Amino acid sequence: MYFACMIIRNVTVIDGSGAAPIEDVEVVVTGERFTEVRPSASDATPADGEVIDGRGGYLIPGLWESHTHLAGYAATLPEPEQVPFVLRALADFRAAGIAVVVDLGGSLTIDHAVRQADSGETAKLFYAGPVFTGIEGWPLQAHGNPAMALQVSDPDHGRRLVLELAEDVDFVKFIYDGEPGAPDKLSRRALHVMVEAAHEAGKKALVHIRTHADIEDAVAAGADCVEHAPLPSDDLAEAGKLADLLANSGTYYCPTLVTWEQLGHGGDLGYLQELLVDGIIDEAEARAVAVHPRFGQPFPHHPAAESMTRFRYGMRTLPIMHAAGVKIVAGSDVSLTIPSPPLALLRELQLFAKAGLPAAEIIVTATRHAAERIAMPGYTGTITAGSVADALLLDRDPLADLRALSDPAARAAIIHRGRVLPRLDR
């Protein structure tokens, strides 16, 4: 339903900023925007609007999935199935309380078609279109789909390509992976020139990395965010230095721990049991995954042993990043063992908790930090005046029980761009 004015009353607001919860307030929505957070004043219903009685519930911003590849996967499907696949996935995200999906690499044709088909009732899609890589670099090595990546031969060539693409995308993604000096890896000079071009065009620059040295180069180039937990260095002292570098430069960090967890466990049936116990999948889903032909199959470019090493290192070093003040962002990348993309994002939030991050900070990773990282007008990832009115009304306090974010039974209502979505079966 859509109302010119809506009041969400009798709630505790966890506004996504990291500030303390605000108890016993009401939130005013006008059109598609939050317009006021104020003390609950009366039981009156506005003449031109509607009231949602939160009944002592908890209102948080709609969550963000900050690293996925819907348009990349869709490009492997027959053309008539491509856009419907992405739209269904976006509907699934929205039903799980995830308001915004950030696609970090895929077909620009599919991205544009999905945006044109946006009805306002599915998760909002922001996208990079094709990523930039070296000659036959990742992901072309495995997928070979030219719609997913643009090959860069030299810095000037890269600059031209960035400026051309920037007009059609929301931000720019660079792959900085491979052996230094090899043709499949962007040169340091190319990375610097291309990040500069992205900023010149008013776009954020996100950089996929593999090693500590890659992160250092990305920060030096001016990257706005580094993507993925790196391979380990020799000791945790190096992780502390890296955390200080990211914090001091203001560079965001999206570790995609759930990617490494899934790839590292491969066909481990015990992992399915862990996901079952943690409430990410149910018995039927566990059985379906176990017999799926893809379960346990090697993933190109990321061997299981190396992925498990990155997962364990990412988990051990996440508290170091947090303690240093690094701005951490939640993103899942792939859903292989986990049967759907929304569940992979919710698993990422669980892993943040298992690594020791406080619940309040975990919510920030999937709201304010996620929005700041790509800086789209009106999308702040917070419940503040002027921000797009995406929110999730929960029956349970997610600061006391983070599983409220992943439990469908805890979702009392979903507000999306000022609209109340139909109440879920509970």
Side-chain angles (χ1 to χ4, degrees), residues 68-425:
T68 191
H69 293 280
L70 296 182
Y73 180 79
T76 67
L77 302 174
E79 185 173 347
E81 300 177 20
Q82 294 172 349
V83 172
F85 165 81
V86 177
L87 291 173
R88 284 194 303 272
L90 293 174
D92 290 344
F93 274 110
R94 183 62 280 193
I98 300 163
V100 179
V101 173
V102 181
D103 195 302
L104 261 68
S107 164
L108 191 58
T109 300
I110 296 173
D111 287 328
H112 283 345
V114 169
R115 179 158 291 175
Q116 290 172 358
D118 184 358
S119 65
E121 297 181 357
T122 63
K124 178 70 174 179
L125 181 69
F126 294 117
Y127 49 80
V131 302
F132 290 92
T133 189
I135 304 302
E136 293 298 323
W138 175 255
L140 293 175
Q141 295 169 349
H143 303 300
N145 186 342
M148 294 184 63
L150 298 172
Q151 301 179 73
V152 173
S153 58
D154 61 69
D156 289 340
H157 178 230
R159 174 180 170 80
R160 290 194 302 273
L161 289 177
V162 169
L163 293 176
E164 289 172 6
L165 181 68
E167 298 179 4
D168 294 319
V169 298
D170 300 310
F171 50 88
V172 184
K173 165 81 175 294
F174 302 100
I175 302 293
Y176 194 62
D177 191 325
E179 295 301 321
D184 64 332
K185 181 170 186 172
L186 294 174
S187 69
R188 291 180 187 173
R189 176 61 181 162
L191 184 64
H192 277 253
V193 168
M194 294 166 72
V195 168
E196 183 180 68
H199 290 162
E200 180 182 324
K203 307 295 182 180
K204 297 291 187 178
L206 315 182
V207 180
H208 162 121
I209 58 84
R210 183 170 183 264
T211 67
H212 277 232
D214 292 342
I215 293 180
E216 292 169 357
D217 287 347
V219 171
D224 297 291
C225 185
V226 292
E227 307 294 323
H228 307 302
L231 283 167
S233 63
D234 292 335
D235 57 53
L236 290 181
E238 286 298 313
K241 294 177 182 176
L242 193 65
D244 288 340
L245 175 66
L246 292 171
N248 293 335
S249 64
T251 309
Y252 291 79
Y253 172 56
C254 185
T256 65
L257 298 176
V258 69
T259 294
W260 308 125
E261 181 188 44
Q262 291 174 89
L263 299 182
H265 280 100
D268 181 5
L269 293 174
Y271 177 50
L272 294 181
Q273 182 63 30
E274 182 179 345
L275 295 175
L276 186 62
V277 170
D278 287 343
I280 291 296
I281 60 175
D282 59 27
E283 293 277 4
E285 289 168 331
R287 290 193 295 270
V289 170
V291 299
H292 195 283
R294 190 177 65 186
F295 183 56
Q297 291 298 308
F299 189 81
H301 197 66
H302 297 300
E306 178 183 297
S307 296
M308 181 55 72
T309 298
R310 293 178 78 164
F311 170 62
R312 289 171 175 161
Y313 184 68
M315 290 288 286
R316 284 197 303 156
T317 56
L318 199 66
I320 297 172
M321 298 289 184
H322 175 249
V326 176
K327 292 178 284 191
I328 300 165
V329 179
S332 68
D333 194 13
V334 297
S335 55
L336 297 173
T337 302
I338 294 174
S340 76
L343 294 177
L345 185 276
L346 297 174
R347 177 60 173 178
E348 182 78 358
L349 301 184
Q350 284 189 349
L351 292 175
F352 284 0
K354 289 174 181 284
L357 263 61
E361 176 65 16
I362 292 171
I363 291 173
V364 172
T365 71
T367 54
R368 178 170 65 87
H369 282 176
E372 291 172 347
R373 166 177 167 265
I374 61 169
M376 294 293 103
Y379 284 85
T380 70
T382 61
I383 299 175
T384 53
S387 183
V388 173
D390 291 326
L392 182 58
L393 180 61
L394 301 170
D395 285 343
R396 302 202 307 269
D397 181 359
L399 300 182
D401 179 10
L402 194 71
R403 285 183 62 157
L405 299 180
S406 56
D407 182 359
R411 299 172 196 147
I414 293 173
I415 295 92
H416 185 56
R417 303 187 216 175
R419 300 170 184 260
V420 183
L421 297 192
R423 190 176 179 88
L424 304 174
D425 292 334

